[in-house]
Amino acid sequence: PLIQQALTSIDREEYRSNLHDLLSKKASTLTTETNPLKRSRSLMNYALSKGYEQSLIMELLNDNVL
């Protein structure tokens, strides 16, 4: 009940924007990684460790060049 109420109160666009900002900041620290697969994996693992959903992370990684 309370958890469900809290989850429905989250603005989806703001949530997505926060994830994008987080990934952008992390990507700026990965300047030495030239392999795009390793870079994406690192970004994926980082965002997962912060509690974001894999499907949303993949969507942003596929849509954006970070």
Side-chain angles (χ1 to χ4, degrees), residues 30-43 66:
L30 299 174
T31 56
T32 59
E33 184 55 68
T34 58
N35 184 327
L37 292 176
K38 287 183 179 180
R39 185 178 173 86
S40 289
R41 174 183 264 169
S42 179
L43 291 169
L66 297 171

Side-chain angles (χ1 to χ4, degrees), residues 20-51:
H20 183 271
D21 293 346
L22 182 79
L23 289 174
S24 294
K25 287 178 186 175
K26 181 62 177 176
S28 70
T29 69
L30 299 174
T31 56
T32 59
E33 184 55 68
T34 58
N35 184 327
L37 292 176
K38 287 183 179 180
R39 185 178 173 86
S40 289
R41 174 183 264 169
S42 179
L43 291 169
M44 170 67 77
N45 289 337
Y46 181 71
L48 286 171
S49 76
K50 297 297 183 184

Side-chain angles (χ1 to χ4, degrees), residues 8-24:
T8 57
S9 71
I10 296 172
D11 179 22
R12 196 72 180 155
E13 285 306 311
E14 184 178 346
Y15 185 71
R16 184 182 171 95
S17 176
N18 288 344
L19 175 57
H20 183 271
D21 293 346
L22 182 79
L23 289 174
S24 294

